[in-house]
Every structure is written in C-alpha cells, then in structure tokens.
Amino acid sequence: MATGESGVRRVALGMSGGVDSAVSAALLMRAGFEVVGVTCRFTDDAASDRAAADAAAVCARLGLSHTERDCTALFDNAVVQPFVDAYAAGLTPSPCVGCNACCKLPSLLAAADELGCESVATGHYARIAQLADNGRYVVKCALDARKDQSYMLALLSQEQLARLVLPLGGTTKAEVRVLAADLGLPVAEKPESQDVCFIEGDYRAFLHARGVDDRPGAIVDCAGAVLGRHDGLANYTVGQRKGIGVAAPEPYYVVAKRPETCELVVGFADEARISSVLTGPVRWQALACLDGPRAASVKLRYRSRAVPCIIEPEPEGRVRAVLREPQPTTAPGQFAVFSVGDTVLGGGMIEEVASV
C-alpha cells in the first residue's frame, strides 16, 4: 500500500456525518496520519444528504479533503435484502453486524485503494490488536464499556483488520463530546444515530413495502394449545414480553416463530430460557479454527452482557455454545459473539436455540 511522499501514512476515514467519525479525524491528525474523509452513501434519501453535508463541513473545518462514494447498490444487495429475507423466514436479523463486514469495510477499503491510502479508519468504539502467539489480528473491547462496539466488528476478516485503525478505542463518549466542542466541530452536539439506518419509523411498514407477508396465524403455548391469533410473525421478536395480546396470570414471552405453520409460540418466564445455541459457520479472528471444546464467553445480543459458556465445534464450521447457566432466550438471526477476556474469538449467526 502506498505511503505519502513525506512518509506519512494516508488513511481513508469513513465519515458518517456524526460526532464519532469527526473526532476520529482530529485524533488521526494528532497521531500524524494524512486523513482523507470518505462518506460512503448507502441510501439515497434526505438523511444521507444531511450526513454527507455534515461530514463535508467537518472536513472543511479541519482542513481535510472529502469525497463521497455511491454504495447504494451494494448496500441493498448485501444488507437490506438479506434483512427482508430473514424476517420473511421467521428470523430476527441484526443487520449492522453483517453490514460492517460485507458492505461498510469493503466499500471503505475500495475507496482507500483508489485514493492511495494504506489504512482505513472508522469511529467505532473498539480496539485492534495483533496477537503475539499466532500473529492474528483481533478486535478487543473498548475501554468505555458502555459504548463498546466490539460485537459489531466480530465478523471482520484478517485482511480487513490488518488495515483498520480505530481511534476511539481508548476514549469515552464524554471525552469525544468535549473534544468536538473544543475543536468547534459543527456536529459536536449532534445526537446519536438510530440502530437500523435504512428504516425511518416502524420497521413493519418497511417490511410490508418490501413484500413480506403479514399472514395472520395462531398464537400457541409450548404444549401446542391455541391461545389466540397474531397479525403476522414479522411483527414479533423472540424474547418479546409486551404487546403479545394474550391475557394470563403472568406475562407471556415469545419463545419461537414457526413460519412453516405461521404459529407464534409463547411461554412463561421459565419456558423462555435457553441452555445452548447453535450458530451457522463462524468467522474466526483470534483462532484459525475451533479444533475442540474450550471455555469462552458469549454475547447473544448486542446489548446483552457476555456470559460463560463452552464452545464446541460442529460440522460445516458451525459452533454449539453450551451456556454455564440458563439465559433469557434470544432470537435466531441474531449473532453469537465469542470472546476470552477482552478479546473477540469470532462470531456466527444463531440458527437454533435449545430451551432449558
């Protein structure tokens, strides 16, 4: 990869128009990088226009060059359509995890190559390290546990990690806000972005517009008894407690969705706990592969805490995580991210959950 004529490393910084990527630019400059701001446009709407304008304003304030890339086709094919297909199949997808690995980083790396940049950077709260024992690149947790986004980067490949710089890994959100204000950045007070960037408002209306069937069906308990009717499986999430619409002495939870029969399965709290999960093929970071059972921790959702487990290899690169203690159920389609201490081992999409 090319380095500038002065010997300074050139880095392509993904700029979303938010405060995190804006402060990342300033921190990279302080570290001696030559920074090029890159805004990858993943949607063609007013929100994307505002984000690009904010990113350009930050670059102007800092004296950086700024460029935009149209990535809407890749985003629709690699993120939006799989999201829609997953809901149609009865899953509850986590689009941001896959997006980072198959859309955002590839788009940013392609721009970096065109711009002659050795590295790429983003405003994620996590750290990158290279392990001394096997030389593999890994994601580590951010020092600010409340903002840690290592879960979101668990599917990144070795090639992607080798070129990635994360300036905010050792910084708190409060410090970022203060630095942005001190620098007079125009996005210093800009609020946090929403989780699913391509949906404004109710995701159910979005799914309906994309052709997901809202076919009604039966609400059944774990023994198969019919308790009521639902108005479409896509309107519910495994683990959901409120809004199910079935009266009972204690709250029901959504335990499973059965798209083949259009049944929504509900159970009480003790029936909504799981003992293990089975993932699809795992993308490993700290390991080349899993060659036998080993102790680890697993996060079953982005906002959940990591819990102890034993991970066991299964055919075709799958992994079974046997939980040390039963946990509240999670939804197939979410990601299980495995770690040891503050180091990500790898992650894979949850395909099945086993009830207690």
Side-chain angles (χ1 to χ4, degrees):
M1 292 295 162
T3 303
E5 292 181 3
S6 63
V8 175
R9 290 176 62 189
R10 284 171 59 85
V11 59
L13 169 64
M15 300 194 71
S16 64
V19 67
D20 293 331
S21 57
V23 170
S24 293
L27 294 177
L28 288 166
M29 294 171 68
R30 287 184 180 181
F33 286 91
E34 180 186 350
V35 182
V36 180
V38 179
T39 298
C40 296
R41 298 182 66 126
F42 299 113
T43 57
D44 185 12
D45 53 24
S48 184
D49 292 340
R50 290 192 298 270
D54 287 343
V58 168
C59 286
R61 171 68 178 172
L62 296 174
L64 304 177
S65 62
H66 176 257
T67 183
E68 297 181 26
R69 292 291 188 275
D70 181 359
C71 305
T72 53
L74 174 62
F75 185 75
D76 193 76
N77 291 332
V79 180
V80 179
Q81 194 56 48
F83 174 88
V84 173
D85 293 342
Y87 263 108
L91 304 176
T92 302
S94 180
C96 299
V97 180
C99 179
N100 284 317
C102 66
C103 186
K104 287 186 178 179
L105 260 293
S107 297
L108 189 55
L109 285 164
D113 289 342
E114 293 177 11
L115 296 166
C117 295
E118 179 179 1
S119 304
V120 297
T122 69
H124 287 97
Y125 287 82
R127 296 173 291 153
I128 304 295
Q130 188 174 18
L131 299 179
D133 58 349
N134 60 12
R136 292 181 67 83
Y137 291 93
V138 295
V139 173
K140 285 179 171 285
C141 296
L143 295 186
D144 186 346
R146 293 171 299 178
K147 287 295 296 180
D148 175 53
Q149 293 175 302
S150 56
Y151 178 96
M152 292 296 184
L153 304 177
L155 300 190
L156 298 190
S157 69
Q158 289 298 291
E159 294 75 18
Q160 291 169 337
L161 292 172
R163 296 179 63 185
L164 180 59
V165 180
L166 299 177
L168 302 186
T171 308
T172 68
K173 184 71 177 194
E175 291 169 337
V176 165
R177 290 288 187 189
V178 169
L179 183 54
D182 289 345
L183 292 169
L185 299 181
V187 295
E189 300 300 325
K190 189 171 180 177
E192 299 281 339
S193 59
Q194 60 185 13
D195 287 339
V196 182
C197 66
F198 55 90
I199 298 178
E200 291 188 10
D202 188 356
Y203 77 95
R204 298 171 182 84
F206 175 84
L207 292 173
H208 183 71
R210 297 286 295 225
V212 175
D213 185 8
D214 276 340
R215 185 163 53 101
I219 301 175
V220 301
D221 65 17
C222 293
V226 176
L227 304 176
R229 301 283 293 175
H230 66 78
D231 56 359
L233 293 179
N235 299 322
Y236 303 86
T237 299
V238 172
Q240 177 178 330
R241 182 173 68 87
K242 297 181 179 180
I244 297 173
V246 177
E250 59 181 291
Y252 274 117
Y253 293 77
V254 175
V255 175
K257 298 193 289 186
R258 296 172 180 164
E260 64 278 4
T261 59
C262 204
E263 291 177 314
L264 183 73
V265 185
V266 300
F268 296 122
D270 60 341
E271 298 171 299
R273 298 176 71 79
I274 57 174
S275 59
S276 69
V277 299
L278 176 68
T279 74
V282 168
R283 170 72 62 83
W284 294 108
Q285 290 184 356
L287 310 174
C289 65
L290 182 66
D291 55 12
R294 66 174 294 167
S297 295
V298 62
K299 288 186 72 169
L300 299 174
R301 293 178 184 268
Y302 173 41
R303 299 297 184 186
S304 68
R305 64 183 181 89
V307 296
C309 67
I310 299 294
I311 52 176
E312 304 170 346
E314 294 281 349
E316 300 179 345
R318 289 172 165 80
V319 166
R320 185 172 298 280
V322 180
L323 306 174
R324 293 286 195 181
E325 296 181 358
Q327 297 296 320
T329 191
T330 189
Q334 296 290 296
F335 285 87
V337 172
F338 309 113
S339 60
V340 171
D342 64 356
T343 302
V344 172
L345 298 178
M349 185 183 295
I350 296 169
E351 293 185 342
E352 299 176 8
V353 300
S355 299
V356 174

